Amino acid sequence: MRTRLLSALSLFMLAFSLVWPAISAQAQGDEAQKATALLAKLTPEERVGQLFLITFQGTEVTQESQIYDLIANHHIGGVVLAAANDNFLAAPDTVAGAADLITDLQTAEWQQSISTSDPSVPHTYIPIWVGIAQEGGGAPNDEILSGLTTLPDQMAIGATWNVVAANDSGQVMGRELSTLGFNLYMGLSLDVLSNPNPSLSADLSTRVFGGDPYWVSEMGRAFLSGLKTGSNGHMAVIAKHFPGRGGTDRPTEQEVATVRRSLEELKQTELAPFFAVTGNAPNPESTADGLLVSHIRYQGFQGNIRATTRPVSFDQQSLGEILSLPELASWRQNGGIMVSDDLGTPAVRRFYDPGQENFSARLVARDAFLAGNDLLYIGSIQSSDTEDSYSTTLRILDFFTQKYREDPAFAQRVDESVLRLLTLKYRLYPSFSLAVTRPSPSLVEAITPSTDLTFEVARQAASLLSPSRAELSTVLPDPPGLRDYIIFFTDTRTYQQCSTCPEQIVLPHNALKISVLALYGPQTGALVAPANLESYSFDELALYLENDSSTARLSNQLRRANWVVFSTLDLSEGRAQEETFKRFFAEKQSLLLNKRVILFAFGAPYYLDATDISNLTAYYGMYSESAPFVEVAARLLFQEITPVGASPVSIPGLGYDLISAMFPDPNQTIALSLDLPPATEETTDAPTPETTPAPVFKVGESISLRTGVILDHNGRPVPDGTVVRFMLRDEGGIGQQIETVTSQGSAKATFRLDQAGNIEIRASSEPATVSDVIQLNVTSEGSSVVIITPTPEPTEFPSPTPITTPEPVIRENPLTNAGYPNLFGWLMIMLILAGGSGLTYWLMGQILEPRWSIRWAMLVLLGGLATYNYLILELPGAAAWLDGRGLAAFLQAVILGQVFGFTLGWAWRSFVLNSRKPQPEK
């Protein structure tokens, strides 16, 4: 019975797989038919308007406003909302205000369609795009900074190596943004950061999933699928920065950048994730609706790059060549749209008008359109001869409309793009009405930010970068204790939701301290004492390095501290925080003697060089700075949780090469098993190991095998396409070899058993060369299989670039701890105190009566104790005396105190003797 059900299910799935393309094509055909019918009704002005995506200032959409005019009278295709343009209100009204603004934008087009339409003709309301580049991670990569779930940065998701985390994050993002009324998502970066270089100003930091094209593809697909599921199919997803900006040499917003890679390198690296969400996407849910074309030059497509070489976004031949690649051509034929990156950036302006004298926005828009872009994101573009962006936009629209009427070829090109755009809008909204495009107030009010998902991603992403896990228990055997003194230094950053909104702080200077107290303070276990925790910003640390008087306490606290904990955001070259960090370790080495120095990188993990890392006891990668990540950092500090993530990008300062890390781990034994087909016998009960017959193989038959999941150095499945070799050998040493590649971490192979005899089959995937061994004695009657798991032995093989970490430096001074005497030093001080007073007692006892020798010895003892306590209590002047000298300073001070006590005893004795002399008679 069970077998019949399985067979029926298999037949159903087969039939569905054959019918689904037809159903899908029919649906696409219906959308295209609707779009074609609507296109026929549009005027040239309306058709041209659909090509443009604009920005505007403020939150007002009144009939007198410029944005209302562009929507209602010029029928622009859509808008992009951004914090930089003051499109959002301050908290707590940010979310509700965004929903109201989107309602007003859609209503402007709806009302105009009603007022201008003939009552006998159906309304030609066309929903406008409302786009946003909400990337995750908070400021500066998010536009809405409060009221929504603060999701992790993409790199944090990548560090989990878990596509479920990516999909879940996408679902939350899609659900919340679509509830607000956004229908165009422009925040999905598919860039591959294959060679991170913090010295380059084009640094993408944590805005990418990682540095391997396979995993960026997997994460991108999962996140994209989540976006569509969460938005219930009501949000178009535009992937960026096509064809990939991970290898650029400068920031694309300020200057036209160049990627100097060959065509094959581009296909294997930069373009691979875009292929994965276009022509190679397994289903519509993981297929991007559009690609955002960057203003970058690519040597692989454009040959030798010169100053006059156009960015690919304006190069019709080069962009056409890219889009003709099979993976993109099929996707393009199915309605995929191309969206230009912001045409109003300084980079575009400098390229078209190096002298900053005669910038023509109309020519820029025309070139971008003719290059192959369907939707032109013109941003705040402004020509040299216009007053503002609004006037420039009107001129561009008039220019396109005139050209549409005069140039049939241009008109045909416009109609092709508008048809794609309308078809996509019909894919989101089967019918165009205000009811389906404006947000529901009740659903907006129901949005409840949650930290559960973000905390789980943070827990899975947190990575121990240095030292190795095996060494961690040696350098950090215990977490901070109740009496340990901890100083936190934090790289803070301020942001604003709008230009008039109050400033808020990303990663406040006391964020980690507050989290530690919440988890381990007096109310929750009393593992730390609040008086032993201090926190400072990097700005305050910079003042300390300049000997600012306001930081006098910091010097004493550093000497007292047992733990020094750094929380960093961005230590890229050229930033003031980077200079402060390096200066501190260069100038204050003596203050860090015998301290535990911990660094949590809440930004990208590759900013530090080998020397920087050698100054640290432990170095953790967190990849995102929201509150759940801070909490995970606190738990890591107190060793409550174990870091299980791994960096998804190379870290030059550690010698951590991502590609090498993703090679198969040579210390594993590759599992081998028979790849058996499902049972076909009819049985009423499920077979059990006792009743299932062992497979028997005869001469002339085939044997199919599969490996278990092959793991890389980080303990994750190796990428698809990893080479695996299956080797069959007979008694005479003659054998066969089959080379296959992995899929989902494992590989398969099939051998034909041509002759009788004993046979062994093994597998290897360099540098992992040890596997289970399958043994069988093939005869005409058949033989069962024996699988042996050998004990791995050292095997010589070529090694990739070693993945090593520099030994952490723990500065040990046998005499001091944190600048103060430890047990050994304390005993020495006590010995000197006792010896000094004892010697004084003995010497004075030789010449004076016992009571004076006791007094003198006590004064010597008290003098030494007084100076010792003066330094321990950090009274004024103590820090200057110590100056990092440790025990030597204490010993000198105690001896001077004893000398002072001895002198005081002499003065006391002299005073008493003089007072007892008879006074002369007057």
Side-chain angles (χ1 to χ4, degrees), residues 658-674:
L658 181 65
I659 303 303
S660 299
M662 295 175 64
F663 284 172
D665 184 356
N667 297 318
Q668 67 185 305
T669 298
I670 299 174
L672 269 183
S673 61
L674 299 176

Side-chain angles (χ1 to χ4, degrees), residues 292-342:
L292 186 79
V293 187
S294 290
H295 306 312
I296 302 174
R297 296 178 287 217
Y298 294 84
Q299 187 171 4
F301 288 103
Q302 298 174 288
N304 293 330
I305 304 298
R306 299 179 175 84
T308 57
T309 302
R310 289 186 172 193
V312 71
S313 51
F314 300 99
D315 189 336
Q316 182 177 1
Q317 180 178 347
S318 298
L319 185 56
E321 182 181 350
I322 299 174
L323 296 179
S324 67
L325 295 172
E327 296 84 354
L328 296 170
S330 59
W331 167 80
R332 187 85 165 129
Q333 290 170 1
N334 290 326
I337 68 169
M338 307 303 296
V339 183
S340 78
D341 205 346
D342 189 352

Side-chain angles (χ1 to χ4, degrees), residues 841 850-860 905 908 912 916:
Y841 176 80
R851 61 174 181 170
W852 273 107
S853 60
I854 294 173
R855 291 172 181 173
W856 221 306
M858 290 298 297
L859 287 172
V860 170
W908 186 12
V912 171
R916 290 179 178 178

Side-chain angles (χ1 to χ4, degrees), residues 51-54 80 184 186 238-242 290-296 312-314 319 332 337-345 348 364-379 381 400 413 421:
L51 301 175
F52 293 94
L53 196 61
I54 66 172
V80 175
L184 187 69
M186 305 171 69
I238 311 300
K240 62 184 182 182
H241 303 85
F242 182 79
L291 301 177
L292 186 79
V293 187
S294 290
H295 306 312
I296 302 174
V312 71
S313 51
F314 300 99
L319 185 56
R332 187 85 165 129
I337 68 169
M338 307 303 296
V339 183
S340 78
D341 205 346
D342 189 352
L343 300 179
T345 61
V348 174
V364 170
R366 180 203 64 185
D367 290 348
F369 178 66
L370 293 179
N373 293 288
D374 301 301
L375 188 59
L376 303 179
Y377 178 23
I378 59 176
I381 196 169
F400 268 63
R413 173 72 183 83
L421 296 169

Side-chain angles (χ1 to χ4, degrees), residues 520-560:
Y520 309 106
Q523 307 302 319
T524 51
L527 298 181
V528 294
N532 290 345
L533 306 184
E534 296 290 344
S535 59
Y536 295 91
S537 69
F538 268 42
D539 291 338
E540 291 172 304
L541 182 60
L543 291 176
Y544 166 69
L545 294 175
E546 297 297 332
N547 297 316
D548 189 279
S549 59
S550 64
T551 61
R553 288 183 67 246
L554 175 55
S555 179
N556 297 330
Q557 290 165 350
L558 273 170
R559 291 185 175 88
R560 181 182 175 189

Side-chain angles (χ1 to χ4, degrees), residues 345-472:
T345 61
V348 174
R349 192 176 192 94
R350 288 193 182 100
F351 178 79
Y352 272 87
D353 183 24
Q356 303 291 302
E357 296 175 352
N358 187 25
F359 178 71
S360 174
R362 293 175 296 175
L363 297 182
V364 170
R366 180 203 64 185
D367 290 348
F369 178 66
L370 293 179
N373 293 288
D374 301 301
L375 188 59
L376 303 179
Y377 178 23
I378 59 176
S380 57
I381 196 169
Q382 182 178 349
S383 293
S384 299
D385 58 350
T386 57
E387 297 178 356
D388 52 25
S389 179
Y390 168 69
S391 302
T392 301
T393 302
L394 292 179
R395 288 197 181 186
I396 294 174
L397 293 170
D398 291 341
F399 173 72
F400 268 63
T401 302
Q402 181 180 353
K403 193 165 181 60
Y404 182 94
R405 288 192 165 98
E406 296 174 352
D407 186 345
F410 185 82
Q412 181 181 357
R413 173 72 183 83
V414 169
D415 289 345
E416 290 173 356
S417 290
V418 174
L419 184 60
R420 283 196 185 95
L421 296 169
L422 292 177
T423 301
L424 179 55
K425 287 185 177 181
Y426 272 117
R427 197 177 300 163
L428 303 184
Y429 308 111
S431 62
F432 290 171
S433 69
L434 188 60
V436 299
T437 59
R438 65 183 178 187
S440 164
S442 60
L443 293 179
V444 171
E445 188 176 352
I447 293 177
T448 305
S450 172
T451 61
D452 294 345
L453 172 61
T454 306
F455 178 83
E456 182 58 24
V457 172
R459 188 189 65 79
Q460 295 183 32
S463 312
L464 175 63
L465 303 177
S466 175
S468 67
R469 293 179 185 177
E471 297 169 321
L472 183 63

